Amino acid sequence: MRTSQLYAPTLRETPAEAEVVSHKLMLRAGMIRKAAGGVYTYLPLAWRTLRKIEQIVREEMDAADGQEIAMPILQPADIWQETGRWAVYGEEMFRVKDRHDRDFCLGPTHEEMVTTLVRDEVRSYKQLPLLLYQIQNKYRDEIRPRFGLMRGREFIMKDLYSFDKDEAGMNESYQKMYDAYTRVFTRCGLKFRPVEADNGAIGGAHSHEFTVLAESGESNIVYCPKCDYAASDEKAELKTIEAPAEELRPLEKAATPGAHTIELVADYLRVPVEKTIKAVAYQTEKDEVVLAFVRGDHEVNEVKLQNAVGAIALRMAEDAAIRATGGEPGFMSPIGVKEGTKVVVDATVMAMKNAVAGANEADVHYINVTPARDFAGALVTDIRLVKEGDPCPRCGEPLKMTRGIEAGQVFTLGTKYSEALHATFLDENGKEKPLVMGCYGIGVSRTMAAAIEQGNDKDGIIWPRAIAPFEAVVVPVNAKEPAQLSLAEKVYEEMKAAGIDVLLDDRKERAGVKFKDADLIGYPLRVTIGPKAVESGVIELRVRRTGEKEECRPEDYLARAKALLETL
Ligand code: ATP
Ligand code: MG
């Protein structure tokens, strides 16, 4: 490929709409253009990278016995109604009607589609395990499409579904996929971490997210510097902190005028924040009020809370809804709320003694609250959000926190979908059983963006070689000089013949312009052909990542280029 023919309209200025670096750089490097919020056209450079990522994914899925298929993006509503997800999926689902007024959606995911496919074809345990996958566009009407390809409304996903005869088989398939994902992200040249994750609305028991490490990521992850524990902050388990033994005092009320935040209360009553109990009120999708209590210096983990009460969504409760439970906004307590109100108390709160909590009266708090004695009828569980320094649930070492981008996720699903959709098989004894499933997704377009979030500097993108749009660019310093251009052509042809994915920048632009574009687009290796090359055959190699240059003799440069690329 020659740059003079390459459709890569680079921009000098950073477009104002872009917030994160991958979005900015993909626009500037002429890789993508926006069609609508969260919907983009991929230009040739982006498409080359996407195809390379897809190819790595495809090879690893095939090596793990996955079989590639292509299911429809347009999906009939009835299969979603069978599992109940037509109602549950909500506004994130793009819904369309055909001319006969029948409902369809644009697939946000394919559990229903693949399970109904398999239920009609798989009869016997002899056909299992079965692993089917596809790589295609997915559609999700995200509330906040943003950060370019990171959170799109149309994006490319690889989704694989495993069908097994029993739980042991499912776990084997899960492990196979876990290993395949590890190879995919390693081969893509990314720094990543598999972390224990919440299963969310998809159901099932087991899940890991594959997180590409980057400061700009939306996922917070915790990891133990000593053992191999790592989890998303949503999932991170926490041990109950036992309060030291002390003599229990009787419950009393105390006036706390104007003290409607935990800090004000602690200040007013002169107690450490660790001796206070914080209340947060939520409403579920069914408008049911959920009162959550954590220690004053802790935060509520909304995902754990949602799982604890079996809700699909939680939002902050309105004051009127709180009052309807007998609670007082800003001064809530489990003591005295109406019977039947859902109260969830963090396990660490349950272990507190002589603490301060609201009293469901404006400007009044209880002191000497001992939840084990005073909070009868509450649901007690871990609903606390992890913080840096919390002890590792495995080994007790203080946890560290880092940020990342969820690029892939693997789940065990069990029989949730096969039961709902009656996808069964006959086992060795002729007994009918539901298929045992897992599902596994990789955001292909998000992985491209994540690679840029991880690899960039002030000049542009720094690609890992495996997924760079081109591995190398050959730049004649002055393409108007026939001797330079023909030498560059020769080098380009030699590199191509050696199997290097190379581009020739044959534009009659100034060298500075071509070097800037090469750095912006981020080809891992630049091969410069200048006057020295014509005079004495010296060919300069420059590594994008480090800026290191070396001069090679004509008989050496190719071997050197190959050796350098191996390391990039
Ligand atoms: P998120 O929590 O970021 O919304 P998710 O957990 O809903 O993602 P999955 O259903 O697990 O996503 O989808 C599998 C993969 O698809 C994700 O790991 C991610 O890489 C990618 N993905 C999900 N939503 C988007 C999106 N809106 N834009 C781009 N990629 C996405
Ligand atoms: Mg996910």
Side-chain angles (χ1 to χ4, degrees), residues 407-437:
Q409 188 163 10
V410 292
F411 303 88
T412 59
L413 294 173
T415 56
K416 176 175 161 145
Y417 293 91
S418 50
E419 277 181 34
L421 295 164
H422 309 290
T424 59
F425 69 100
L426 297 178
D427 75 1
E428 290 88 334
N429 306 315
K431 202 169 160 238
E432 189 174 357
K433 285 189 173 159
L435 291 158
V436 189
M437 296 174 57

mmCIF file of all heavy atoms in Angstrom, residues 407-437:
data_model
loop_
_atom_site.group_PDB
_atom_site.id
_atom_site.type_symbol
_atom_site.label_atom_id
_atom_site.label_comp_id
_atom_site.label_asym_id
_atom_site.label_seq_id
_atom_site.Cartn_x
_atom_site.Cartn_y
_atom_site.Cartn_z
ATOM 1 N N ALA A 407 -12.350 -5.259 28.451
ATOM 2 C CA ALA A 407 -12.300 -5.571 27.020
ATOM 3 C C ALA A 407 -13.007 -6.888 26.726
ATOM 4 O O ALA A 407 -13.438 -7.136 25.607
ATOM 5 C CB ALA A 407 -10.859 -5.638 26.546
ATOM 6 N N GLY A 408 -13.121 -7.735 27.745
ATOM 7 C CA GLY A 408 -13.809 -9.005 27.530
ATOM 8 C C GLY A 408 -14.380 -9.507 28.836
ATOM 9 O O GLY A 408 -13.953 -9.072 29.920
ATOM 10 N N GLN A 409 -15.380 -10.385 28.736
ATOM 11 C CA GLN A 409 -15.933 -10.970 29.957
ATOM 12 C C GLN A 409 -16.376 -12.391 29.667
ATOM 13 O O GLN A 409 -16.919 -12.681 28.593
ATOM 14 C CB GLN A 409 -17.108 -10.123 30.487
ATOM 15 C CG GLN A 409 -17.574 -10.588 31.857
ATOM 16 C CD GLN A 409 -18.426 -9.577 32.600
ATOM 17 O OE1 GLN A 409 -18.842 -8.571 32.042
ATOM 18 N NE2 GLN A 409 -18.725 -9.849 33.857
ATOM 19 N N VAL A 410 -16.112 -13.281 30.618
ATOM 20 C CA VAL A 410 -16.551 -14.674 30.501
ATOM 21 C C VAL A 410 -17.507 -14.983 31.651
ATOM 22 O O VAL A 410 -17.307 -14.511 32.764
ATOM 23 C CB VAL A 410 -15.338 -15.641 30.517
ATOM 24 C CG1 VAL A 410 -14.500 -15.477 29.257
ATOM 25 C CG2 VAL A 410 -14.444 -15.424 31.734
ATOM 26 N N PHE A 411 -18.555 -15.744 31.333
ATOM 27 C CA PHE A 411 -19.577 -16.066 32.342
ATOM 28 C C PHE A 411 -19.940 -17.544 32.283
ATOM 29 O O PHE A 411 -20.039 -18.092 31.180
ATOM 30 C CB PHE A 411 -20.921 -15.390 32.037
ATOM 31 C CG PHE A 411 -20.936 -13.912 31.913
ATOM 32 C CD1 PHE A 411 -20.684 -13.297 30.698
ATOM 33 C CD2 PHE A 411 -21.272 -13.122 32.999
ATOM 34 C CE1 PHE A 411 -20.750 -11.917 30.570
ATOM 35 C CE2 PHE A 411 -21.343 -11.746 32.875
ATOM 36 C CZ PHE A 411 -21.079 -11.143 31.667
ATOM 37 N N THR A 412 -20.223 -18.131 33.412
ATOM 38 C CA THR A 412 -20.979 -19.385 33.380
ATOM 39 C C THR A 412 -22.445 -18.991 33.514
ATOM 40 O O THR A 412 -22.781 -18.075 34.262
ATOM 41 C CB THR A 412 -20.610 -20.321 34.541
ATOM 42 O OG1 THR A 412 -20.869 -19.642 35.774
ATOM 43 C CG2 THR A 412 -19.146 -20.729 34.500
ATOM 44 N N LEU A 413 -23.286 -19.664 32.770
ATOM 45 C CA LEU A 413 -24.715 -19.317 32.811
ATOM 46 C C LEU A 413 -25.544 -20.408 33.463
ATOM 47 O O LEU A 413 -26.668 -20.158 33.874
ATOM 48 C CB LEU A 413 -25.241 -19.113 31.386
ATOM 49 C CG LEU A 413 -24.677 -17.934 30.598
ATOM 50 C CD1 LEU A 413 -25.194 -17.996 29.165
ATOM 51 C CD2 LEU A 413 -25.061 -16.615 31.243
ATOM 52 N N GLY A 414 -25.021 -21.636 33.511
ATOM 53 C CA GLY A 414 -25.811 -22.739 34.035
ATOM 54 C C GLY A 414 -26.966 -23.032 33.091
ATOM 55 O O GLY A 414 -26.803 -23.053 31.873
ATOM 56 N N THR A 415 -28.156 -23.217 33.665
ATOM 57 C CA THR A 415 -29.302 -23.628 32.846
ATOM 58 C C THR A 415 -30.359 -22.530 32.745
ATOM 59 O O THR A 415 -31.490 -22.784 32.349
ATOM 60 C CB THR A 415 -29.946 -24.896 33.434
ATOM 61 O OG1 THR A 415 -30.285 -24.618 34.804
ATOM 62 C CG2 THR A 415 -28.993 -26.081 33.405
ATOM 63 N N LYS A 416 -29.979 -21.307 33.111
ATOM 64 C CA LYS A 416 -30.950 -20.204 33.102
ATOM 65 C C LYS A 416 -31.659 -20.076 31.744
ATOM 66 O O LYS A 416 -32.873 -19.988 31.670
ATOM 67 C CB LYS A 416 -30.220 -18.903 33.455
ATOM 68 C CG LYS A 416 -31.099 -17.675 33.384
ATOM 69 C CD LYS A 416 -30.385 -16.424 33.852
ATOM 70 C CE LYS A 416 -31.134 -15.212 33.320
ATOM 71 N NZ LYS A 416 -31.178 -14.074 34.154
ATOM 72 N N TYR A 417 -30.882 -20.058 30.661
ATOM 73 C CA TYR A 417 -31.494 -19.859 29.336
ATOM 74 C C TYR A 417 -32.042 -21.161 28.772
ATOM 75 O O TYR A 417 -33.094 -21.178 28.151
ATOM 76 C CB TYR A 417 -30.477 -19.233 28.374
ATOM 77 C CG TYR A 417 -30.148 -17.826 28.816
ATOM 78 C CD1 TYR A 417 -29.086 -17.566 29.682
ATOM 79 C CD2 TYR A 417 -30.956 -16.759 28.437
ATOM 80 C CE1 TYR A 417 -28.815 -16.290 30.137
ATOM 81 C CE2 TYR A 417 -30.699 -15.471 28.889
ATOM 82 C CZ TYR A 417 -29.626 -15.242 29.737
ATOM 83 O OH TYR A 417 -29.376 -13.985 30.204
ATOM 84 N N SER A 418 -31.338 -22.274 29.014
ATOM 85 C CA SER A 418 -31.818 -23.532 28.435
ATOM 86 C C SER A 418 -33.130 -23.964 29.088
ATOM 87 O O SER A 418 -34.004 -24.512 28.422
ATOM 88 C CB SER A 418 -30.758 -24.622 28.566
ATOM 89 O OG SER A 418 -30.286 -24.698 29.895
ATOM 90 N N GLU A 419 -33.297 -23.658 30.375
ATOM 91 C CA GLU A 419 -34.574 -24.002 31.018
ATOM 92 C C GLU A 419 -35.688 -23.121 30.487
ATOM 93 O O GLU A 419 -36.770 -23.596 30.138
ATOM 94 C CB GLU A 419 -34.460 -23.901 32.539
ATOM 95 C CG GLU A 419 -33.863 -25.172 33.137
ATOM 96 C CD GLU A 419 -33.744 -25.116 34.649
ATOM 97 O OE1 GLU A 419 -34.608 -24.499 35.288
ATOM 98 O OE2 GLU A 419 -32.767 -25.696 35.158
ATOM 99 N N ALA A 420 -35.418 -21.813 30.431
ATOM 100 C CA ALA A 420 -36.458 -20.892 29.967
ATOM 101 C C ALA A 420 -36.864 -21.214 28.528
ATOM 102 O O ALA A 420 -38.023 -21.042 28.146
ATOM 103 C CB ALA A 420 -35.970 -19.457 30.069
ATOM 104 N N LEU A 421 -35.924 -21.683 27.738
ATOM 105 C CA LEU A 421 -36.203 -21.908 26.310
ATOM 106 C C LEU A 421 -36.364 -23.395 25.988
ATOM 107 O O LEU A 421 -36.452 -23.792 24.833
ATOM 108 C CB LEU A 421 -35.075 -21.301 25.463
ATOM 109 C CG LEU A 421 -34.968 -19.770 25.543
ATOM 110 C CD1 LEU A 421 -33.630 -19.282 25.023
ATOM 111 C CD2 LEU A 421 -36.105 -19.099 24.786
ATOM 112 N N HIS A 422 -36.404 -24.253 27.020
ATOM 113 C CA HIS A 422 -36.592 -25.697 26.859
ATOM 114 C C HIS A 422 -35.581 -26.302 25.898
ATOM 115 O O HIS A 422 -35.935 -27.028 24.970
ATOM 116 C CB HIS A 422 -38.015 -26.018 26.402
ATOM 117 C CG HIS A 422 -39.045 -25.361 27.278
ATOM 118 N ND1 HIS A 422 -39.272 -25.760 28.572
ATOM 119 C CD2 HIS A 422 -39.845 -24.296 27.063
ATOM 120 C CE1 HIS A 422 -40.176 -24.967 29.118
ATOM 121 N NE2 HIS A 422 -40.541 -24.069 28.232
ATOM 122 N N ALA A 423 -34.311 -25.951 26.101
ATOM 123 C CA ALA A 423 -33.251 -26.535 25.269
ATOM 124 C C ALA A 423 -32.662 -27.709 26.038
ATOM 125 O O ALA A 423 -31.899 -27.512 26.982
ATOM 126 C CB ALA A 423 -32.182 -25.490 24.959
ATOM 127 N N THR A 424 -33.060 -28.910 25.645
ATOM 128 C CA THR A 424 -32.672 -30.101 26.412
ATOM 129 C C THR A 424 -31.957 -31.123 25.516
ATOM 130 O O THR A 424 -31.956 -30.991 24.303
ATOM 131 C CB THR A 424 -33.908 -30.793 27.026
ATOM 132 O OG1 THR A 424 -34.774 -31.147 25.954
ATOM 133 C CG2 THR A 424 -34.629 -29.871 27.985
ATOM 134 N N PHE A 425 -31.368 -32.114 26.190
ATOM 135 C CA PHE A 425 -30.720 -33.208 25.454
ATOM 136 C C PHE A 425 -30.946 -34.478 26.253
ATOM 137 O O PHE A 425 -31.383 -34.425 27.416
ATOM 138 C CB PHE A 425 -29.223 -32.919 25.296
ATOM 139 C CG PHE A 425 -28.472 -32.993 26.607
ATOM 140 C CD1 PHE A 425 -27.742 -34.134 26.948
ATOM 141 C CD2 PHE A 425 -28.532 -31.948 27.521
ATOM 142 C CE1 PHE A 425 -27.074 -34.216 28.163
ATOM 143 C CE2 PHE A 425 -27.867 -32.027 28.740
ATOM 144 C CZ PHE A 425 -27.136 -33.160 29.058
ATOM 145 N N LEU A 426 -30.648 -35.614 25.650
ATOM 146 C CA LEU A 426 -30.765 -36.885 26.370
ATOM 147 C C LEU A 426 -29.386 -37.320 26.842
ATOM 148 O O LEU A 426 -28.441 -37.376 26.046
ATOM 149 C CB LEU A 426 -31.363 -37.960 25.453
ATOM 150 C CG LEU A 426 -32.787 -37.677 24.965
ATOM 151 C CD1 LEU A 426 -33.265 -38.778 24.029
ATOM 152 C CD2 LEU A 426 -33.763 -37.501 26.143
ATOM 153 N N ASP A 427 -29.272 -37.602 28.135
ATOM 154 C CA ASP A 427 -27.967 -37.984 28.670
ATOM 155 C C ASP A 427 -27.684 -39.483 28.432
ATOM 156 O O ASP A 427 -28.471 -40.167 27.776
ATOM 157 C CB ASP A 427 -27.841 -37.583 30.141
ATOM 158 C CG ASP A 427 -28.640 -38.493 31.068
ATOM 159 O OD1 ASP A 427 -29.278 -39.452 30.562
ATOM 160 O OD2 ASP A 427 -28.630 -38.255 32.289
ATOM 161 N N GLU A 428 -26.578 -39.973 28.993
ATOM 162 C CA GLU A 428 -26.157 -41.361 28.766
ATOM 163 C C GLU A 428 -27.251 -42.369 29.135
ATOM 164 O O GLU A 428 -27.312 -43.466 28.586
ATOM 165 C CB GLU A 428 -24.905 -41.696 29.600
ATOM 166 C CG GLU A 428 -23.630 -41.014 29.145
ATOM 167 C CD GLU A 428 -23.407 -39.638 29.780
ATOM 168 O OE1 GLU A 428 -24.403 -38.990 30.176
ATOM 169 O OE2 GLU A 428 -22.237 -39.206 29.863
ATOM 170 N N ASN A 429 -28.131 -41.977 30.080
ATOM 171 C CA ASN A 429 -29.178 -42.897 30.523
ATOM 172 C C ASN A 429 -30.516 -42.620 29.860
ATOM 173 O O ASN A 429 -31.563 -43.081 30.319
ATOM 174 C CB ASN A 429 -29.337 -42.811 32.043
ATOM 175 C CG ASN A 429 -28.020 -43.028 32.750
ATOM 176 O OD1 ASN A 429 -27.282 -43.959 32.399
ATOM 177 N ND2 ASN A 429 -27.697 -42.166 33.691
ATOM 178 N N GLY A 430 -30.469 -41.799 28.811
ATOM 179 C CA GLY A 430 -31.707 -41.486 28.107
ATOM 180 C C GLY A 430 -32.597 -40.513 28.856
ATOM 181 O O GLY A 430 -33.789 -40.391 28.567
ATOM 182 N N LYS A 431 -32.021 -39.828 29.851
ATOM 183 C CA LYS A 431 -32.803 -38.880 30.635
ATOM 184 C C LYS A 431 -32.704 -37.481 30.019
ATOM 185 O O LYS A 431 -31.632 -37.060 29.601
ATOM 186 C CB LYS A 431 -32.238 -38.875 32.062
ATOM 187 C CG LYS A 431 -33.222 -38.373 33.060
ATOM 188 C CD LYS A 431 -32.764 -38.624 34.488
ATOM 189 C CE LYS A 431 -33.524 -37.673 35.381
ATOM 190 N NZ LYS A 431 -32.748 -36.789 36.161
ATOM 191 N N GLU A 432 -33.841 -36.771 29.957
ATOM 192 C CA GLU A 432 -33.855 -35.445 29.361
ATOM 193 C C GLU A 432 -33.334 -34.407 30.361
ATOM 194 O O GLU A 432 -33.800 -34.357 31.502
ATOM 195 C CB GLU A 432 -35.278 -35.094 28.939
ATOM 196 C CG GLU A 432 -35.318 -33.837 28.120
ATOM 197 C CD GLU A 432 -36.706 -33.536 27.571
ATOM 198 O OE1 GLU A 432 -37.631 -34.343 27.786
ATOM 199 O OE2 GLU A 432 -36.849 -32.480 26.939
ATOM 200 N N LYS A 433 -32.363 -33.608 29.912
ATOM 201 C CA LYS A 433 -31.759 -32.615 30.807
ATOM 202 C C LYS A 433 -31.555 -31.298 30.081
ATOM 203 O O LYS A 433 -31.326 -31.299 28.866
ATOM 204 C CB LYS A 433 -30.389 -33.112 31.276
ATOM 205 C CG LYS A 433 -30.471 -34.199 32.323
ATOM 206 C CD LYS A 433 -29.106 -34.461 32.881
ATOM 207 C CE LYS A 433 -29.182 -35.417 34.058
ATOM 208 N NZ LYS A 433 -27.888 -36.055 34.270
ATOM 209 N N PRO A 434 -31.591 -30.187 30.808
ATOM 210 C CA PRO A 434 -31.304 -28.904 30.152
ATOM 211 C C PRO A 434 -29.808 -28.761 29.865
ATOM 212 O O PRO A 434 -28.981 -29.232 30.649
ATOM 213 C CB PRO A 434 -31.758 -27.855 31.179
ATOM 214 C CG PRO A 434 -31.704 -28.559 32.488
ATOM 215 C CD PRO A 434 -31.926 -30.034 32.235
ATOM 216 N N LEU A 435 -29.476 -28.123 28.755
ATOM 217 C CA LEU A 435 -28.074 -27.855 28.413
ATOM 218 C C LEU A 435 -27.473 -26.917 29.448
ATOM 219 O O LEU A 435 -28.164 -26.043 29.982
ATOM 220 C CB LEU A 435 -28.000 -27.211 27.030
ATOM 221 C CG LEU A 435 -28.383 -28.144 25.880
ATOM 222 C CD1 LEU A 435 -28.805 -27.352 24.655
ATOM 223 C CD2 LEU A 435 -27.224 -29.076 25.560
ATOM 224 N N VAL A 436 -26.186 -27.120 29.722
ATOM 225 C CA VAL A 436 -25.513 -26.278 30.714
ATOM 226 C C VAL A 436 -24.582 -25.329 29.957
ATOM 227 O O VAL A 436 -23.705 -25.775 29.223
ATOM 228 C CB VAL A 436 -24.744 -27.141 31.731
ATOM 229 C CG1 VAL A 436 -24.226 -26.279 32.872
ATOM 230 C CG2 VAL A 436 -25.654 -28.246 32.284
ATOM 231 N N MET A 437 -24.820 -24.034 30.148
ATOM 232 C CA MET A 437 -24.223 -23.051 29.233
ATOM 233 C C MET A 437 -23.200 -22.111 29.864
ATOM 234 O O MET A 437 -23.151 -21.927 31.070
ATOM 235 C CB MET A 437 -25.348 -22.180 28.636
ATOM 236 C CG MET A 437 -26.330 -22.932 27.766
ATOM 237 S SD MET A 437 -27.712 -21.880 27.259
ATOM 238 C CE MET A 437 -26.867 -20.532 26.435
#
